[in-house]
Amino acid sequence: MDAADLRLIDELRSDARQPLSRLAATLGLAASTVHARISRLVSRGVIRHFTIDVDPGALGYRTEALVSVRIRPGARAQLTRFAEEPARRTS
């Protein structure tokens, strides 16, 4: 992997849907070279996925969170108070 690959990855991170022609112009490379570099990065496992970032609120989903809590020895008595705390804030 060279500096051009790193710049290509940086460009794809900012907008993975931009056309090869724009990537090529930005990087100063031929579109065929950019395509070959992307293909090589995918085949080597450097680029694993091309994904989208969907706004859950726009789809009508409420915000939820998964929380993991590690309880220190002797702190079990505080667990009930901790569990009730989020309910107090949302009321």
Side-chain angles (χ1 to χ4, degrees):
M1 194 164 10
D2 61 9
D5 285 336
L6 295 174
R7 287 179 51 218
L8 174 57
I9 291 168
D10 192 45
E11 285 296 317
L12 290 171
R13 278 185 178 146
S14 67
D15 181 4
R17 292 198 57 189
Q18 60 184 300
L20 287 175
S21 58
R22 187 176 352 145
L23 283 167
T26 301
L27 299 172
L29 300 170
S32 60
T33 302
V34 172
H35 182 268
R37 284 178 176 268
I38 291 172
S39 295
R40 185 171 36 94
L41 291 168
V42 169
S43 69
R44 292 176 57 202
V46 176
I47 297 175
R48 295 185 297 187
H49 303 281
F50 292 90
T51 63
I52 60 172
D53 181 15
V54 177
D55 177 5
L59 298 176
Y61 296 119
R62 299 179 334 182
T63 301
E64 294 185 20
L66 298 175
V67 179
S68 174
V69 178
R70 180 177 290 172
I71 301 171
R72 287 189 231 145
R76 282 206 185 275
Q78 298 175 4
L79 184 59
T80 302
R81 185 175 58 84
F82 176 82
E84 292 171 350
E85 194 66 30
R88 283 190 221 135
R89 278 185 252 137
T90 59
S91 308

